[in-house]
Structure formats: C-alpha cells, structure tokens
Amino acid sequence: RVLDVKATHLSGLLSRPLHSRHVHVQTQVVHILNFCLSTTPQPLIKIHSSFVGLLQEALAVAENDDPTTLKGGPGASDSLHALRAACIRLMCSAMACAELKAPAAGQEQLVQLRQRIITMFF
C-alpha cells in the first residue's frame, strides 16, 4: 500500500470544525479529504462518525448560493467560490462511498446526510 492513512493523520484534520479555520485552510482540508475519499480501487478513509460532522459542514457550504454569508475578509469572494466548489466535489466523492451508497441499518445520520446531498444536487 503506497499511502497508509492512520487515525492520527486524520485526527488533525477532523479535530476542529471546518468553519473555525481560515478559508484557504478550509479549502485545503476539503481537497485532502476529497483525495482520500476518491482514491481507487478503495478509498484511503471510510466515512465514520467523526467525519460525518465535517461532511455536514462542507455540505452547508456547498448548499450556500450566497458566498457573502460565509466568513471571509474583504476580497474573499474568489476564495469562497473555490471553497464551495471544493465542497461540491467532496460531496460527489462522498456519494460514491459504500457507506453513503447503502447506509447500514441504524445509520440514520448517514441516511439523512445522503438525502441532503441528493437534494443539494437538484
């Protein structure tokens, strides 16, 4: 295995809410997680409980059509658009994961997340 993503690597990315970081850092975190979810033949990470919160935050950013409501300084419009685009790509990658394709019984949080992602796309 070329890359061995351990829980300790992910804990730094998942330890703080996405919105508590600078917009450029948010974008990079989303890009990293998107890469980890979109590797083939198997994702480097699986969707688990601590990851769901970050996916929900990223979904909120992706759903937001008005970037002025997001936290950002003057002239941050381009950065906010890049963040939103990265979040949309992350949602695409998340939907391709087995955990969201067919959530296990009792995984109501994943079922609701899947439904919100589908709604965002339409």
Side-chain angles (χ1 to χ4, degrees):
R1 189 169 187 169
V2 175
L3 295 173
D4 187 15
V5 179
K6 300 201 182 302
T8 54
H9 296 119
L10 284 178
S11 66
L13 296 174
L14 302 176
S15 64
R16 289 178 41 203
L18 197 58
H19 70 274
S20 70
R21 304 168 192 254
H22 187 274
V23 68
H24 294 294
V25 176
Q26 290 179 45
T27 304
Q28 292 307 311
V29 167
V30 171
H31 281 302
I32 292 166
L33 294 173
N34 184 43
F35 172 80
C36 290
L37 281 180
S38 62
T39 55
T40 56
Q42 181 178 354
L44 294 175
I45 57 175
K46 294 183 183 264
I47 296 175
H48 48 51
S49 59
S50 61
F51 190 17
V52 170
L54 192 133
L55 285 174
Q56 289 171 335
E57 277 191 273
L59 177 59
V61 172
E63 288 174 327
N64 191 347
D65 289 336
D66 184 10
T68 60
T69 60
L70 297 173
K71 183 175 79 173
S77 179
D78 289 343
S79 299
L80 294 172
H81 285 293
L83 173 61
R84 182 169 185 250
C87 288
I88 290 170
R89 285 191 293 275
L90 178 62
M91 294 304 108
C92 291
S93 296
M95 286 297 289
C97 290
E99 297 85 3
L100 276 181
K101 275 185 180 178
Q107 294 289 331
E108 189 60 34
Q109 191 177 28
L110 291 179
V111 171
Q112 290 174 358
L113 179 62
R114 177 181 166 75
Q115 290 170 345
R116 279 188 59 205
I117 293 171
I118 291 170
T119 302
M120 180 212 48
F121 284 119
F122 296 102

